[in-house]
Amino acid sequence: MSDELVVSEIFGPTWQGEGPSVGHRAGFVRLGRCNLACQFCDTAYTWDWEQYDPAKELTKRSVDDVIRDLENMNVELVVITGGEPLLQQRHLVPLVDECVRRNWRVEVETAGTIAPTLDGVDRWSVSPKLANSGMSVERRRKPDVLRAFAATGRTIFKFVVVESTDLDEVAALVDECGLRDVWIMPEGTDPETVLRGLRDLAEPVLARGWNLTPRLHVLIWGDRRGV
């Protein structure tokens, strides 16, 4: 098993900006490459080689190097994200094992198109893509995979919503796959757009019995990278 990962960036200490851990100090490991190409993606530098140069954006890093960077951050929460980190799921085993050995909590953020096999993850943050992503249904919608995540009992489902009409699509997927712990997050890479989305979504999300999350890092730093 290789102990190397294709990494886009490692940064922190910062705060987890989304979902149930929002506001918690964290270190981020952002991996390169993705199997989707969402039109609103705010980390296209991990996969869009028409706009970015992979030779500049991606590096191979040993797990030892990644752990050293995380140790310097003095955090208890490690967020593994992307891109799509589960494209490297097999190679994540030694990294997660080392995090567990240090009593660091591990969250993995994924689009929910690849089934989980990784042990030691405290929380899966699964973000199934909707029609607003611009992706075809065949590429983005994997009900069996979503059910596999739900069966772990350690998964939250976080949907990126552009407008309140997207909530009907969320509801259909929630019902089809029996999803629980549903979080709605407004799309946006600037504070004004995120705040407007929160205001527009607050009442309809509350009425459906779901959770609402901001994008704390965007509210603080806008679309700045590495925070």
Side-chain angles (χ1 to χ4, degrees):
M1 182 180 298
S2 170
D3 65 351
E4 282 192 332
L5 295 165
V6 179
V7 175
S8 168
E9 54 188 351
I10 301 171
F11 59 94
T14 184
W15 291 290
Q16 169 60 289
E18 305 169 358
S21 296
V22 67
H24 287 234
R25 290 180 80 255
F28 277 74
V29 179
R30 186 181 304 284
L31 300 183
R33 303 197 294 250
C34 191
N35 59 338
L36 299 178
C38 300
Q39 61 188 8
F40 52 56
C41 181
D42 60 352
T43 58
Y45 51 87
T46 66
W47 58 266
D48 187 350
W49 309 137
E50 292 184 2
Q51 294 189 67
Y52 299 93
D53 181 357
K56 295 179 180 178
E57 297 293 345
L58 304 182
T59 57
K60 284 189 176 181
R61 299 285 304 274
S62 71
V63 168
D64 287 343
D65 284 345
V66 174
I67 289 292
R68 275 193 291 270
D69 283 355
L70 293 169
E71 285 178 331
N72 289 334
M73 297 177 197
N74 190 30
V75 295
E76 295 181 355
L77 172 63
V78 174
V79 181
I80 302 172
T81 187
E84 174 48 73
L86 293 194
L87 290 174
Q88 301 183 61
Q89 183 164 211
R90 182 169 64 88
H91 303 304
L92 281 171
V93 172
L95 175 61
V96 173
D97 285 349
E98 288 299 315
C99 290
V100 170
R101 194 167 69 84
R102 289 164 172 77
N103 293 316
W104 296 341
R105 290 183 295 119
V106 177
E107 293 186 359
V108 177
E109 300 181 336
T110 172
T113 61
I114 300 171
T117 61
L118 191 60
D119 293 327
V121 175
D122 294 279
R123 176 179 288 134
W124 296 99
S125 180
V126 177
S127 183
K129 304 311 175 191
L130 304 175
N132 60 31
S133 68
M135 289 285 91
S136 67
V137 172
E138 293 76 19
R139 287 183 64 180
R140 62 181 168 81
R141 191 179 178 110
K142 306 292 181 182
D144 288 345
V145 173
L146 298 183
R147 293 187 189 101
F149 276 109
T152 69
R154 292 175 283 116
T155 301
I156 67 104
F157 294 91
K158 181 180 64 184
F159 293 86
V160 178
V161 168
V162 175
E163 53 190 23
S164 59
T165 54
D166 294 337
L167 299 178
D168 290 337
E169 186 180 355
V170 174
L173 193 56
V174 166
D175 291 344
E176 177 185 355
C177 299
L179 308 183
R180 298 185 178 182
D181 210 351
V182 175
W183 293 73
I184 303 299
M185 183 177 72
E187 189 275 332
T189 55
D190 62 85
E192 294 75 16
T193 301
V194 171
L195 285 170
R196 183 168 59 250
L198 289 170
R199 295 187 188 106
D200 291 345
L201 292 168
E203 290 189 12
V205 170
L206 196 63
R208 291 177 186 262
W210 298 335
N211 304 293
L212 184 66
T213 175
R215 306 191 74 206
L216 182 62
H217 52 297
V218 173
L219 296 179
I220 297 171
W221 292 297
D223 64 353
R224 197 171 115 198
R225 283 173 62 168
V227 291

